[in-house]
Amino acid sequence: MEDSRYSIEEFIQKTLQEDKHQGLFELETPRLLEINLNGQVWAKAGSMVSYRGNIKFEREGILEHGLGRLFKKALTGEGTSLMKATGNGKLYIADQGKKISILHLKEDAIIVNGNNLLAFEQSIEWDIKLMKRIAGMLAGGIFNVRLEGSGRIAITSHYEPLTLLVTPDNPVFTDPNATVAWSGQLKPDFITDMSFKTFLGRGSGESIQMKFSGNGFVVVQPYEEVYFSNDSKG
């Protein structure tokens, strides 16, 4: 009997695109997002893997979101580069094989690290938030995007994300480079701990930590995106 394992036919069956009828955003795989586009969405520039149908892509216009956001983008270097996908069809996007999570906001607000934002519906209001206090210590600083309103967003993480609940009597401390997102009502403080400097081979010479107090949640990933600049000394 002929061994059918590893045949092209078997490979196609295992990897074939499948309609799950989950709506606008659906996870085709844990690392590939399918957008059933009928209108317009915002996505991370350069995230398009494939599409079918009639879809047009445009880079974010320089003045599309006003001078205020343009100024903040200039301060963050490249900032969050977005592209607008418009039309009808199926759009597949990904970001360096990172794991994708879909969140359906219902008059909620969430802050997402700019590197972890993959896509969001046009109905979502957004604004760039700078972490000014540590901008000088990190390469270009860390910037975040506040997303608010009702609609779907997609965020990414290196490997599986972990969500930590924050309560008034139990604050949470995180490494900025491993912090993916947090609930909109939280405002992190930044603290430096010189006692950690010998444990960290960082160019900054300091351990910078984020402290979250109050009521809410923080999402972290088991991986550090390294933003520390080599020429910044603490």
Side-chain angles (χ1 to χ4, degrees), residues 69 72-73 76 80 126-130 143-145:
R69 269 184 236 180
K72 282 183 281 189
K73 285 187 67 167
T76 58
T80 300
W126 65 277
D127 194 13
I128 292 174
K129 301 292 183 185
L130 281 175
F143 60 93
N144 299 291
V145 183

Side-chain angles (χ1 to χ4, degrees), residues 62-73:
I62 289 180
L63 295 177
E64 186 146 5
H65 300 291
L67 286 170
R69 269 184 236 180
L70 179 67
F71 177 65
K72 282 183 281 189
K73 285 187 67 167

Side-chain angles (χ1 to χ4, degrees), residues 1 42 76 121 185 197 206 208 211:
M1 180 177 173
W42 288 98
T76 58
E121 283 192 69
Q185 67 269 37
K197 77 179 282 190
E206 292 185 297
I208 304 168
K211 178 184 179 182

